[in-house]
Amino acid sequence: MARTESNMLPLGTKAPNFELPDSISGRKLKLSDVYGEKATVIMFICNHCPYVNHLNKEIVKLAKDYAASDVGFVAISSNDIEKYPEDAPDKMKVQAEQLGYSFPYLYDQTQEVAKAYDAACTPDFYVFDRNLELMYRGQFDDSRPGNSMPITGRDIRTAIDATIMGKRIYKEQKPSIGCNIKWKE
């Protein structure tokens, strides 16, 4: 696994639109379908990454904790499934069902959405405000596989809470660290 950091898309960037198939429902969903009135969280994840697997239960908990707060959540997998078949949509659906994802899990076959968001790793987290302007990009928290730090979601929860309250996040935003997105050649 290649340890890769987020590219840190500039704050204030408007969320690029997309229309991708949801591995769970089979429907094509747009950004407007996953939009949250107070915030929208976009996560680039995949099935096989140990960094994502380390956080998966807490990602599920995070989405459930904010379900009543008008925060939209969506996960996107952009990996090359020819080289990484465990990240294919049929397996994405199985993982989403096993873990109890309450949010769509979209497949970015062309990898154009990952490029539009300047995503670099899995997991890669983005929090947008009600105007779909980027308020936060970076890590879930300081926990990583093998570092024995507890998974708290502190960084992303602070970002979501500030965004809900309409406040800018001025503190340092640390990049996420994970497996590199598996780009097609």
Side-chain angles (χ1 to χ4, degrees), residues 3-89:
R3 187 177 158 106
T4 303
E5 287 189 359
S6 300
N7 286 328
M8 305 301 278
L9 188 67
L11 296 175
T13 297
K14 279 290 239 187
N17 202 8
F18 55 77
E19 184 174 2
L20 296 170
D22 178 19
S23 65
I24 302 165
S25 70
R27 297 181 317 136
K28 281 198 170 192
L29 298 177
K30 299 178 196 166
L31 176 60
S32 59
D33 296 320
V34 298
Y35 170 82
E37 188 62 39
K38 295 195 175 161
T40 303
V41 179
I42 298 176
M43 307 170 284
F44 285 86
I45 66 171
C46 69
N47 285 2
H48 85 275
C49 174
Y51 291 89
V52 174
N53 291 329
H54 177 71
L55 297 176
N56 248 328
K57 288 181 183 172
E58 289 302 314
I59 290 171
V60 169
K61 184 177 183 326
L62 177 78
K64 287 181 181 174
D65 288 350
Y66 286 96
S69 300
D70 293 322
V71 177
F73 281 82
V74 65
I76 301 171
S77 178
S78 300
N79 280 353
D80 176 1
I81 62 169
E82 286 187 30
K83 291 189 179 140
Y84 296 87
E86 60 270 37
D87 292 331

Side-chain angles (χ1 to χ4, degrees), residues 40-182:
T40 303
V41 179
I42 298 176
M43 307 170 284
F44 285 86
I45 66 171
C46 69
N47 285 2
H48 85 275
C49 174
Y51 291 89
V52 174
N53 291 329
H54 177 71
L55 297 176
N56 248 328
K57 288 181 183 172
E58 289 302 314
I59 290 171
V60 169
K61 184 177 183 326
L62 177 78
K64 287 181 181 174
D65 288 350
Y66 286 96
S69 300
D70 293 322
V71 177
F73 281 82
V74 65
I76 301 171
S77 178
S78 300
N79 280 353
D80 176 1
I81 62 169
E82 286 187 30
K83 291 189 179 140
Y84 296 87
E86 60 270 37
D87 292 331
D90 60 324
K91 294 181 177 63
M92 291 167 59
K93 179 178 182 168
V94 170
Q95 180 151 318
E97 290 171 348
Q98 286 176 343
L99 292 168
Y101 286 3
S102 60
F103 46 84
Y105 191 12
L106 310 181
Y107 177 54
D108 177 19
Q109 179 178 3
T110 66
Q111 302 182 317
E112 291 303 314
V113 175
K115 290 174 185 170
Y117 280 81
D118 202 19
C121 61
T122 57
D124 218 346
F125 298 97
Y126 301 79
V127 178
F128 293 89
D129 69 7
R130 68 180 68 240
N131 300 314
L132 292 173
E133 292 179 5
L134 186 62
M135 300 278 91
Y136 178 81
R137 71 288 190 251
Q139 68 177 8
F140 195 80
D141 58 26
D142 290 319
S143 184
R144 307 284 185 267
N147 77 357
S148 71
M149 295 192 72
I151 304 170
T152 63
R154 183 192 66 204
D155 292 40
I156 197 159
R157 287 177 182 277
T158 298
I160 294 169
D161 291 342
T163 302
I164 288 170
M165 294 185 292
K167 296 181 179 178
R168 297 262 179 223
I169 303 141
Y170 293 106
K171 71 177 205 115
E172 176 189 357
Q173 296 184 11
K174 296 179 185 175
S176 188
I177 296 173
C179 298
N180 61 305
I181 290 180
K182 308 309 184 214

